Amino acid sequence: MPDSSRSVAEIDFPADIQLTPSPRDWRDHVIYFLLIDRFDNGAVNTPPFSATHAGTGRDLSTRNRFQGGTLKGITNRLDYIKGLGCTAVWISPILKNRQDQNDAYHGYGIQDFLQIDPRFGTLADLRELTAQAHARDMAVILDVVINHTGDVWAYPGDYPYYYSGGQTFPFERWREADATPGLQDDDAVWPRELQTPEAFKRRGQIRDWNDAQQARDGDFLSLKELDVQNARVLDTLIKVYKYWIAAADLDGFRIDTVKHLENSSTAIFCNAIREYAQRLGKKNFFLFGEIVADDDTIGQYLGRNSRIDGSNERFPSLDAALDFPLYFALEDVIKGFTDPAALRHRYDALRERYADHGAAGRYFITFVDNHDQMARPYRRFMHNNPFPNQVVLAMTYLLTSQGVPCIYYGTEQAFDGGGPDDSYVRECMFGGTWGAFDSSGRHFFNPNHAVYKSIRAVADLRASHAALRYGRQYFREISTNGFDFEHPHTGHCTLAYSRVLDSQEITVLLNLDSSARSDYITVDRNLTPPGSVLVDLLAPQREFVVEDRGGRSAVRVSLQEHRLAVLARRQA
């Protein structure tokens, strides 16, 4: 398999090599998501951050430029990531972006689909990363783009063109960074199969993001929309990403901007990738997507819900999707700003949609922070938040509720970025000139940080208790007096829910109030009858006796402000 192919026709696709087998169930993993450029640059002498360095200043002019993070840097920090309790790493796109642009640090504007961006490293670096991850029983998930390329060609006059009733606009020229005659490595787009205007929709930039057709056919800002309904284009993209699975022993793909793709094209792509991975011994290669939408829209992309145009055939599409419906609700619930009913209603809907209530979690990647911040533009969960333990409550919810939890880099160090653009939530973990807390030149890989240690403690519980990974989920009624029970309807409450698997019930209690609380919590009377003794798995010295409260089983638990408990029945 060549390392510098210019055409997918030059690639051999081996079917007889055996790669690292896939995880049995992705709910057994906690994912750590990072932006390569902002994570670690591999330097060994960078001093650590301390509170005295906050506010010492960073270079605002560099926030949207490459900072220097590399694939080698990630490899060097795998133990830090696993120490947090994360056993899968989702990395931002690695493929080559335009080399004449210093603001493509995020990797989403691809110019060459068959090359790693040299600013991130080499194919050998990627292979070493996956090999070292697999040696630690960790998986590597690559962020991939099939919706668009970078800004690799120009409309007439090199003016910005905007969507106008579905009109197809003329193509003028390829962008060329190299003055040498003919298309060189840094010019246009590669592989060669994409070097035709017919590979692109050419409808101009999206004006109205709420117009479904415009969002599907228009250009994503200056990025150029690929015509994935063109069979040659889709076949090229399939071959590109098959190549990367075999070349680097990858374990999954996160597919960018799925909402901007045709359902059928997404399904064909996913099915082809899944089948190739199975031939290579990866029987559960993970394919999850970014669909910023409600559950009805997301459901169109999951399982066999994508009908192939012109036929009655349905292909299996995505395995899972980023859980934006939960993301839109969770922050305000955890911070006590809104009625926790928003969470209950969401899970009630999941029970209606999925026949196997307990299995519904396999379809969603849950998160609190990310690099785009759709609901709260350009601020992290901790931005201007005076209550640091709230982020522990939020992370605990992810780790103990249905779904595959995902932690965005820096959350475990209580990063609190926020500002007028997305660079403010893309701080440098290794310091650089754009460090967190208005600092520079100081790294944040601190395994003794209180938030890091709290997340690790709950992640350990998830790993050791199957009910927290696979169990059904039920929100519990509470009472302040032991007689009048109801679901909480304000943010001043103990949020309680149980995960139930077979004969085990584990009940999670989150005090969302800024004051101490002592509440009675309902538990399952059959699984946890009166007289049972419950133990706080995070503080085993704390025990609670289940009482009969008017015919129901309930346990009274006291919690300090913004504290939590995870209760399980003590075994005789």
Side-chain angles (χ1 to χ4, degrees), residues 215-249:
R216 187 186 67 233
D217 292 339
D219 292 337
F220 198 103
L221 303 177
S222 64
L223 305 174
K224 297 302 190 284
E225 185 81 1
L226 285 163
D227 186 0
V228 294
Q229 287 191 301
N230 179 324
R232 179 179 169 89
V233 172
L234 186 57
D235 179 68
T236 298
L237 294 168
I238 288 170
K239 288 176 178 175
V240 159
Y241 288 113
K242 285 168 62 174
Y243 162 75
W244 286 110
I245 296 172
D249 198 8

Side-chain angles (χ1 to χ4, degrees), residues 324-334 338 342-343 346:
F324 277 96
L326 176 65
Y327 166 74
F328 293 143
L330 184 60
E331 178 184 11
D332 282 352
V333 170
I334 294 296
T338 194
L343 285 183
R346 195 311 170 85

